[in-house]
């Protein structure tokens, strides 16, 4: 979920080779429905022309402090007041030093000093500058004062050096900005989310698994974190980058997932089981690679623990939300699982529907509640769905207490 839709954002651009990446950031912001006003320092305009930013933001770009026409239309104080968040990307050592030192000698520094909005700084500079104790002190001072930072990344730098100092990826800056604008309505909650498939090993090279990508569970983890919850993500093997600022427990098999969930259950107020858990595992796991022999091979499988059912049998379970991905009789099957597993809510989806299957970024879900209510939802991104699930979890928690 992005919380940037409809928000007024001030994007400060300072002079560095990474300015071109801030064009990409601007595109992400406008695509998310934000109204972006760009302020460029003089040095920034040497790298990319204001026209590029103006065209993409559909707003005039501000470059000078004492421009009479601009000042009349939208002066620096007005910019500072209107912004709901200020982003500085890329931020040079110079601008960071100036902010830390209380210097306000151009439009950007003046605006930053005058704003009451959160300020998110994405530094980009040479590795030695980034490690310079003067820079470090300035950054630490600003952090202490409540300014937010997206750390620079490691890689090859424009100056020819390898190291830390590359501007964070535009997606990371975007995500942080969105998180800063999220409501913190889940503060105080501990939400455990399971995600991805499980793998049940047959031998050292083979396993039984399924097509789950983990996208739904990861979207839930990110959104819950953004909304202030403590998040424990118990994840089967996926290709996804784990969100920062959460507790990640990596598992492979259903039994490992069960152990991980039950080791944390006491501290949880909500458990959301988005993982596609394998129902069966090989009865015997061979320590050696199974050799090809006869014409047919019969595998004997034994039942895995049903984690959600066990949670539902607890004396005082946390709020329990399950998933049901079905190919047929969606409503009947999902209702049966809701009851049998003693859940507060189940997210049901028909994986045969276009846009609702495994490995997609979208879903068409139906939310079923303990009291028999059914809430059908339209096709939407998994991040939007995550937000709705968490809205409902919040409401159910209120009812429960
Ligand atoms: N689940 C679980 N442990 C299992 C199997 C499923 O915790 N061993 C959870 C899933 O994470 C999901 C819900 O139960 O939230 C429903 O999973 P699903 O596989 O659809 O249901 P099953 O009970 O396994 O029924 P079936 O496979 O027969 O449809």
């Amino acid at each position: 979920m992005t919380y940037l839709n409809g928000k007024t954002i001030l994007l400060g651009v300072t002079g560095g080779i990474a300015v071109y990446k801030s064009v990409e950031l601007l595109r992400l912001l406008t695509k998310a429905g934000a109204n972006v006003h760009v302020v460029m320092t003089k040095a920034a305009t040497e790298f990319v022309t204001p026209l590029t930013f103006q065209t993409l933001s559909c707003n005039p770009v501000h470059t000078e402090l004492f421009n009479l026409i601009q000042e009349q239309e939208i002066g620096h104080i007005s910019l500072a007041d209107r912004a709901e968040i200020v982003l500085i990307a890329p931020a040079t050592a110079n601008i960071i030093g100036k902010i830390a030192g209380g210097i306000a000698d151009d439009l950007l520094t003046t605006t930053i000093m005058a704003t009451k909005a959160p300020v998110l700084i994405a530094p980009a500079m040479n590795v030695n500058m980034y490690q310079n104790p003067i820079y470090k002190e300035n950054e630490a001072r600003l952090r202490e004062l409540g300014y937010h930072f997206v750390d620079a990344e490691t890689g090859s730098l424009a100056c020819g050096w390898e190291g830390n100092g590359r501007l964070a990826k535009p997606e990371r800056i975007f995500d942080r900005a969105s998180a800063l604008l999220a409501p913190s309505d889940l503060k105080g909650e501990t939400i455990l989310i399971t995600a991805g498939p499980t793998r049940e090993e047959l031998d050292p090279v083979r396993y039984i698994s399924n097509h789950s990508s983990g996208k739904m569970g990861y979207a839930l983890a990110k959104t819950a974190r953004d909304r202030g919850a403590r998040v424990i993500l118990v994840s089967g093997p996926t290709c996804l980058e784990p969100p920062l600022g959460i507790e990640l427990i990596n598992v492979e098999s259903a039994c490992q997932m069960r152990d991980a969930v039950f080791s944390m259950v006491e501290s949880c107020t909500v458990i959301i089981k988005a993982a596609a858990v394998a129902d069966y595992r090989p009865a015997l796991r061979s320590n050696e690679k199974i050799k090809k022999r006869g014409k047919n091979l019969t595998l004997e499988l034994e039942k895995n623990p049903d984690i959600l059912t066990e949670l539902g049998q607890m004396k005082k379970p946390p709020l329990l939300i399950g998933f049901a991905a079905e190919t047929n009789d969606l409503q009947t099957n999902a209702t049966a699982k809701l009851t049998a597993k003693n859940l507060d809510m189940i997210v049901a989806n028909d994986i045969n529907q276009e846009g609702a299957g495994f490995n997609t970024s979208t879903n068409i879900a139906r939310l079923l509640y303990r009291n028999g209510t059914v809430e059908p939802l339209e096709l939407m991104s998994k991040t939007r769905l995550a937000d709705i699930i968490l809205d409902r979890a919040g409401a159910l928690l209120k009812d429960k207490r």
Side-chain angles (χ1 to χ4, degrees):
M1 170 66 182
T2 157
Y3 297 97
L4 298 165
N5 184 18
K7 292 287 191 287
T8 300
I9 297 176
L10 195 141
L11 174 61
V13 185
T14 69
I17 192 70
V19 170
Y20 75 94
K21 286 195 201 166
S22 122
V23 175
E24 191 51 40
L25 174 62
L26 171 60
R27 293 199 57 193
L28 293 174
L29 295 168
T30 51
K31 237 173 100 182
N35 176 21
V36 188
H37 292 270
V38 177
V39 174
M40 298 178 81
T41 60
K42 200 166 172 304
T45 63
E46 306 282 339
F47 290 89
V48 174
T49 65
L51 187 61
T52 308
F53 286 94
Q54 186 148 311
T55 312
L56 292 171
S57 68
C58 299
N59 279 317
V61 168
H62 308 272
T63 48
E64 290 170 49
L65 181 51
F66 299 112
N67 177 320
L68 288 180
I69 298 169
Q70 278 188 4
E71 190 66 25
Q72 192 186 1
E73 282 170 359
I74 177 170
H76 63 279
I77 298 298
S78 159
L79 273 176
D81 286 348
R82 278 222 241 159
E84 287 165 273
I85 187 166
V86 176
L87 313 180
I88 313 169
T92 54
N94 182 49
I95 187 102
I96 292 165
K98 276 187 179 178
I99 308 169
I103 296 171
D105 66 350
D106 61 8
L107 180 59
L108 186 57
T109 44
T110 320
T111 311
I112 292 165
M113 192 169 259
T115 193
K116 287 215 156 89
V119 178
L120 178 62
I121 301 172
M125 64 197 76
N126 161 275
V127 55
N128 295 329
M129 289 170 83
Y130 199 45
Q131 279 159 11
N132 186 307
I134 301 174
Y135 170 77
K136 290 268 166 230
E137 248 182 66
N138 287 337
E139 182 183 319
R141 178 170 159 68
L142 289 177
R143 280 184 190 269
E144 216 167 273
L145 290 169
Y147 289 78
H148 306 273
F149 278 80
V150 186
D151 292 336
E153 293 176 359
T154 303
S156 56
L157 304 174
C159 51
W161 283 73
E162 272 296 307
N164 208 349
R166 259 162 81 116
L167 180 69
K169 287 187 193 71
E171 291 78 10
R172 264 186 65 210
I173 305 172
F174 177 90
D175 276 357
R176 267 306 289 288
S178 172
L180 284 172
L181 292 175
S184 41
D185 57 336
L186 296 174
K187 210 175 171 144
E189 305 299 342
T190 298
I191 305 186
L192 185 147
I193 295 154
T194 68
T198 64
R199 279 183 188 169
E200 311 299 328
E201 287 196 355
L202 283 159
D203 68 15
V205 288
R206 304 178 181 99
Y207 56 79
I208 298 172
S209 191
N210 58 62
H211 289 301
S212 170
S213 63
K215 282 183 188 159
M216 189 65 239
Y218 277 59
L220 279 161
K222 254 191 182 180
T223 310
R225 172 206 64 190
D226 291 351
R227 291 172 62 164
R230 171 187 170 207
V231 176
I232 303 163
L233 177 63
V234 178
S235 176
T238 73
C239 301
L240 305 174
E241 203 172 312
L244 295 172
I246 59 141
E247 294 160 51
L248 175 70
I249 306 178
N250 283 311
V251 297
E252 293 247 330
S253 66
C255 289
Q256 286 171 2
M257 184 171 278
R258 184 201 168 278
D259 292 347
V261 170
F262 278 91
S263 72
M264 303 305 287
V265 69
E266 291 307 327
S267 58
C268 298
T269 52
V270 182
I271 294 190
I272 308 180
K273 287 232 64 230
V277 187
D279 290 328
Y280 294 91
R281 63 175 180 273
L284 276 178
R285 182 206 181 269
S286 167
N287 287 331
E288 285 158 18
K289 189 179 166 200
I290 300 169
K291 284 293 174 194
K292 179 168 57 192
R293 282 197 192 96
K295 203 169 163 209
N296 298 321
L297 172 72
T298 307
L299 289 174
E300 196 186 331
L301 303 177
E302 64 186 15
K303 218 170 189 181
N304 268 328
D306 190 311
I307 309 167
L308 207 40
T309 302
E310 282 186 40
L311 287 166
Q313 285 165 353
M314 285 172 67
K315 246 191 178 159
K316 274 186 101 187
L319 190 89
L320 293 179
I321 299 177
F323 275 74
E326 306 290 341
T327 54
N328 53 287
D329 304 316
L330 180 64
Q331 185 97 4
T332 317
N333 284 330
T335 310
K337 284 175 194 175
L338 176 79
T339 316
K341 302 190 187 209
N342 191 23
L343 308 180
D344 295 280
M345 180 174 114
I346 194 158
V347 184
N349 66 290
D350 177 349
I351 55 171
N352 287 332
Q353 263 184 293
E354 180 98 9
F358 282 115
N359 244 320
T360 57
S361 296
T362 56
N363 207 343
I364 309 167
R366 211 179 281 191
L367 308 181
L368 279 66
Y369 300 87
R370 199 189 272 280
N371 65 6
T373 320
V374 179
E375 186 185 358
L377 301 173
E378 61 209 19
L379 171 80
M380 61 180 71
S381 69
K382 286 183 175 169
T383 46
R384 173 85 192 107
L385 178 59
D387 216 42
I388 293 180
I389 294 170
L390 291 166
D391 282 349
R392 305 302 180 263
L396 289 169
L397 276 174
K398 266 198 197 124
D399 288 350
K400 203 173 156 187
R401 283 171 185 158

Short mmCIF file of all heavy atoms in Angstrom, two decimals, residues 148 177 197 269 382:
data_model
loop_
_atom_site.label_atom_id
_atom_site.label_comp_id
_atom_site.label_asym_id
_atom_site.label_seq_id
_atom_site.Cartn_x
_atom_site.Cartn_y
_atom_site.Cartn_z
N HIS A 148 14.81 12.00 9.03
CA HIS A 148 14.87 10.61 8.64
C HIS A 148 15.87 10.42 7.51
O HIS A 148 16.00 11.30 6.65
CB HIS A 148 13.49 10.12 8.18
CG HIS A 148 12.43 10.37 9.21
ND1 HIS A 148 12.17 9.47 10.23
CD2 HIS A 148 11.60 11.42 9.40
CE1 HIS A 148 11.20 9.98 10.98
NE2 HIS A 148 10.84 11.16 10.50
N ALA A 177 9.23 6.86 2.26
CA ALA A 177 8.36 8.03 2.28
C ALA A 177 6.93 7.60 2.58
O ALA A 177 6.24 8.19 3.41
CB ALA A 177 8.43 8.76 0.95
N PRO A 197 5.91 -20.75 0.32
CA PRO A 197 5.61 -22.18 0.34
C PRO A 197 6.41 -22.86 1.44
O PRO A 197 7.25 -22.23 2.09
CB PRO A 197 6.14 -22.64 -1.01
CG PRO A 197 7.33 -21.75 -1.25
CD PRO A 197 7.04 -20.44 -0.58
N THR A 269 -0.50 -10.71 19.07
CA THR A 269 -1.92 -10.34 19.20
C THR A 269 -2.69 -10.75 17.94
O THR A 269 -3.90 -10.89 17.98
CB THR A 269 -2.08 -8.82 19.45
OG1 THR A 269 -1.35 -8.11 18.44
CG2 THR A 269 -1.55 -8.43 20.80
N LYS A 382 -1.81 -6.86 -4.39
CA LYS A 382 -1.68 -7.54 -3.10
C LYS A 382 -1.33 -6.55 -1.99
O LYS A 382 -1.66 -6.78 -0.82
CB LYS A 382 -0.64 -8.66 -3.20
CG LYS A 382 -1.20 -9.86 -3.97
CD LYS A 382 -0.27 -11.05 -4.05
CE LYS A 382 -1.00 -12.20 -4.75
NZ LYS A 382 -0.14 -13.33 -5.11
#
